[in-house]
Amino acid sequence: RASATTTTTTRAMATFGDLISLAKKKKKKAPAKPPAGTPAEAAALKAAALTLAVPTLATFPNTRAVLDAFDLENGDPAAFTAVAQVQHFANVVGSDCFALIALCGLYVLSDAAENARLDSATYQRVAGAIALYGAANILGVAIAATADGSPSPSAA
């Protein structure tokens, strides 16, 4: 009987030892995440910002050339004589202000790409907002172009 008890005790200890050795084994590490921003992505975001900056910053000043390009008689809202003039001016100025916001967003995203932070939920929301802004502009221009062939801020 003593040998049977010893065998059972030895088996139990072997099983317990196996559990301990399994627990001590290192767990496999999860695969490494892809980089959350690369220099190429940063360069692409800066190129997009530059592409948007050229028309935005050129039309932002209230100059005679800009007013003529958008068919505005003057840049002083107090001098407008019709509601259509106010609407047209608001569309021109409003669209330029939203373009400045998009420029700032692109700058923030390019900085996030340089510092590998693009996987953050905050930066993903900023990128989503800029994508929606761009899609809305493309859709607006497409509708205006098919409607009368010449997209403009409004029919003043």
Side-chain angles (χ1 to χ4, degrees), residues 86-108:
V86 175
Q87 289 174 332
H88 186 60
F89 181 78
N91 286 340
V92 169
V93 173
S95 61
D96 218 20
C97 289
F98 278 110
L100 284 175
I101 292 169
L103 276 172
C104 292
L106 287 169
Y107 175 75
V108 167

Side-chain angles (χ1 to χ4, degrees), residues 15-109:
T15 306
F16 185 69
D18 291 341
L19 289 174
I20 291 175
S21 65
L22 285 174
K24 287 184 178 179
K25 285 186 181 177
K26 291 184 179 180
K27 294 181 181 179
K28 291 183 181 178
K29 291 183 179 179
K33 288 183 179 180
T38 61
E41 289 171 335
L45 288 165
K46 286 179 182 177
L50 183 62
T51 303
L52 182 61
V54 171
T56 300
L57 297 177
T59 59
F60 198 66
N62 189 6
T63 61
R64 181 80 262 156
V66 171
L67 295 174
D68 289 343
F70 287 109
D71 195 26
L72 290 168
E73 285 130 21
N74 59 51
D76 182 15
F80 293 150
T81 57
V83 173
Q85 290 175 328
V86 175
Q87 289 174 332
H88 186 60
F89 181 78
N91 286 340
V92 169
V93 173
S95 61
D96 218 20
C97 289
F98 278 110
L100 284 175
I101 292 169
L103 276 172
C104 292
L106 287 169
Y107 175 75
V108 167
L109 287 175

